[in-house]
Amino acid sequence: AANYDPKLIRQQLVKLLDSIGGISDVLAHGNRVAIKTNLTGGTSAAPLPGISEIESYLTHPEIVGAMVELLRDAGAKDVFVVEAVYEKESWPHYGYEEMAKKLGVTLVDLNYAEPYKDFAKTSPGTNPFIYEDFTFNPILNEIDAFVSISKMKCHNVLGVTHTMKNLVGLVPYRFYTLNANDKYRSGFHGQAAEMKKRLPSVVMDLNRARPVNLSIIDGILTTEGGEGPWITALTPIKPGIMLAGKNPVATDAVATAAMGFDPTSDYPDEPFVNGYNHLNMAAQLGLGTNKLDEIKVVGASVNEVKVQFKPSY
């Protein structure tokens, strides 16, 4: 898809999901669904010159809105769009409030327990890497299906940020800081010396605590060189693609390959120049495969859509 024209997005999203067998199986366990978007950084992060945030480093609401409609068509009764936003203004500022009103969707700010009385302590299961449990809004435990819609980007620590890394935004940052004045999840990153192993380990714990049932990646318009405008080398890029899959490891691996990188490479090779490859860790845990020869790619081939990204140094 060359742009975010609503008709084009819906048409291509239908084609994309049909090619992986539709989404009725995603709703096989019930009809309450949450969509995790990526609104990292907040409105105080200045956009890149001449291009909006949703066309450069945030998930575009047009894709989320089209996904809401398709979920409803498939039988979803309650659909929630969830994110631990940096401030309430993020919802209207990036077009999500308008989308939610139009489609009758509930926006849930995961920084707070509402509409519940309190947060839920949620475990990643046996043998977690870092966290025995996470502080989740209970909605994350009560939904029947979980969709992660991310932007296709590089990441300064994790190399790439797709639908698995998107789960970092599930928890309120205020509970995960190293210092009282930190305005981001510095506890997830840890001290500088441990960051390259700690952050990918936290991503694994999050994905085991709240598994992703459907992964969708917005690579229509995005950026290279990093994950947000706080990375000075960030520049716009136009891959013109969307990807989808029912296993987040495989989906993120194919997206990584479409960015011109080997999804099985590891620190310090590109794009994993500052941290270990969480896709390798996920494969070792049995969460899915990141080996392209073990993944069935339908639609366009990886080589047909490949656009070489600059990694984040």
Side-chain angles (χ1 to χ4, degrees):
N3 56 56
Y4 293 100
D5 173 75
K7 288 183 180 177
L8 176 65
I9 292 297
R10 183 175 172 110
Q11 169 192 306
Q12 296 303 80
L13 196 54
V14 167
K15 188 185 298 184
L16 186 66
L17 295 173
D18 282 351
S19 70
I20 60 169
I23 53 174
S24 58
D25 57 334
V26 175
L27 299 176
H29 302 292
N31 57 18
R32 304 185 82 215
V33 186
I35 298 174
K36 169 66 173 68
T37 186
N38 183 356
L39 300 181
T40 186
T43 59
S44 59
L48 297 175
I51 188 167
S52 70
E53 299 95 320
I54 55 176
E55 292 176 321
S56 50
Y57 66 96
L58 302 180
T59 308
H60 202 290
E62 204 61 62
I63 293 180
V64 177
M67 191 64 228
V68 169
E69 292 177 340
L70 296 179
L71 284 165
R72 288 249 175 85
D73 291 348
K77 181 183 176 185
D78 299 316
V79 183
F80 308 91
V81 175
V82 304
E83 171 72 306
V85 291
Y86 275 71
E87 66 281 287
K88 295 283 188 185
E89 292 74 24
S90 292
W91 294 126
H93 190 74
Y94 301 128
Y96 277 80
E97 200 166 86
E98 181 183 353
M99 179 269 294
K101 285 179 181 175
K102 177 185 169 187
L103 299 178
V105 174
T106 303
L107 301 175
V108 179
D109 184 353
L110 300 176
N111 285 304
Y112 305 98
E114 287 82 3
Y116 303 88
K117 289 183 179 179
D118 203 357
F119 290 101
K121 292 293 185 183
T122 304
S123 169
T126 55
N127 301 317
F129 283 118
I130 308 292
Y131 288 96
E132 296 287 340
D133 55 54
F134 291 103
T135 302
F136 278 176
N137 180 303
I139 192 75
L140 297 172
N141 298 330
E142 295 193 3
I143 52 173
D144 302 305
F146 185 50
V147 182
S148 179
I149 307 185
S150 63
K151 202 73 161 180
M152 184 185 204
K153 298 183 294 185
C154 290
H155 190 271
N156 191 251
V157 179
L158 288 175
V160 292
T161 168
H162 299 308
T163 65
M164 298 188 79
K165 160 62 175 65
N166 193 26
L167 271 54
V168 166
L170 290 183
V171 299
Y173 83 85
R174 67 185 183 277
F175 299 139
Y176 295 92
T177 57
L178 292 175
N179 307 297
N181 347 334
D182 290 345
K183 299 298 181 186
Y184 70 104
R185 298 171 188 84
S186 53
F188 278 7
H189 293 71
Q191 302 296 340
E194 61 179 344
M195 195 182 304
K196 63 178 178 284
K197 184 66 180 288
R198 183 179 175 89
L199 190 56
S201 298
V202 171
V203 171
M204 292 303 96
D205 287 345
L206 285 163
N207 276 267
R208 286 182 287 176
R210 177 54 270 179
V212 173
N213 305 114
L214 178 65
S215 293
I216 297 173
I217 297 171
D218 170 9
I220 295 174
L221 300 178
T222 183
T223 47
E224 60 179 348
E227 69 272 14
W230 48 91
I231 305 291
T232 54
L234 198 74
T235 51
I237 189 170
K238 300 179 179 180
I241 60 169
M242 291 187 287
L243 300 95
K246 293 171 184 174
N247 179 276
V249 188
T251 310
D252 290 5
V254 172
T256 302
M259 297 166 72
F261 303 119
D262 177 0
T264 66
S265 66
D266 218 326
Y267 174 80
D269 295 332
E270 293 183 354
F272 307 102
V273 294
N274 295 316
Y276 289 101
N277 182 356
H278 61 287
L279 300 177
N280 282 343
M281 295 173 68
Q284 289 160 11
L285 287 171
L287 301 182
T289 182
N290 60 333
K291 295 177 180 177
L292 293 181
D293 61 1
E294 296 176 354
I295 301 168
K296 183 179 180 181
V297 177
V298 293
S301 70
V302 171
N303 285 334
E304 285 177 284
V305 300
K306 188 182 291 184
V307 176
Q308 184 62 57
F309 278 59
K310 294 175 183 173
S312 180
Y313 283 95

